[in-house]
Amino acid sequence: MTPASQYDARALSADWKWLVPEPDTPLFISIFGDWVFGRPDGSLWALSLLEGTYEQIAQNATEYNTLKNSFEWLDATFIAGWQEIAARKGLEPAEQECLGWKVHPMIGGKFEIENIAIFDMSVYQSLMGQLHRQMRGPATRSPVGP
């Protein structure tokens, strides 16, 4: 996880405004471009670029800090196992880059190393935000609301 403050988070999250409530604050971004946001009530939420979902992952920072020590939790929440697989194949993104799917699994891409590539973070965030919004249909706002 990289602190979101190392990016222009406002620009990166522009194509996710339809899903992420306005008052939520970006905290971290994973190597696959997934986000961790903090809500005003102290809970932490994950934006998954794989699933196109925005879900609560911890009641507070203390719970998050405990959970993030579990590889199983990191793998289930942020597909952490694929980072190791990608690194073994020499796919290690530089600053302002991320790993991503050449053909997104939602539209038929396979879960295999040959389908993972390094992308410019801003391009991948925009593409995934648009893809998930279009796949979701006419709904324009997350059910979690502000």
Side-chain angles (χ1 to χ4, degrees):
M1 290 291 191
T2 303
S5 61
Q6 293 188 13
Y7 298 93
D8 180 354
R10 170 172 266 149
L12 285 183
S13 63
D15 285 300
W16 291 104
K17 287 182 179 182
W18 62 273
L19 183 61
V20 178
E22 186 66 36
D24 292 8
T25 303
L27 301 175
F28 303 104
I29 302 177
S30 80
I31 197 165
F32 273 92
D34 298 321
W35 296 72
V36 174
F37 285 85
R39 299 215 64 202
D41 67 2
S43 61
L44 284 90
W45 292 66
L47 169 63
S48 169
L49 273 61
L50 177 62
E51 302 289 335
T53 55
Y54 189 64
E55 299 177 338
Q56 185 173 347
I57 56 171
Q59 293 290 325
N60 53 47
T62 301
E63 181 181 16
Y64 173 78
N65 287 331
T66 299
L67 291 169
K68 74 178 185 174
N69 291 320
S70 163
F71 178 79
E72 291 78 17
W73 182 81
L74 288 171
D75 192 40
T77 308
F78 299 107
I79 62 172
W82 282 102
Q83 177 182 356
E84 183 180 333
I85 293 167
R88 279 189 259 138
K89 291 290 186 174
L91 296 171
E92 297 188 39
E95 191 173 316
Q96 304 300 317
E97 294 180 329
C98 65
L99 295 174
W101 304 99
K102 294 176 188 176
V103 178
H104 196 280
M106 179 183 276
I107 56 173
K110 295 182 180 181
F111 284 97
E112 59 188 19
I113 190 61
E114 291 77 18
N115 192 29
I116 295 176
I118 296 174
F119 291 86
D120 176 87
M121 179 72 82
S122 62
V123 171
Y124 197 67
Q125 289 289 336
S126 181
L127 289 171
M128 293 301 98
Q130 293 175 55
L131 172 70
H132 286 292
R133 184 174 188 176
Q134 290 175 8
M135 296 296 287
R136 181 127 339 140
T140 59
R141 178 52 85 179
S142 169
V144 295

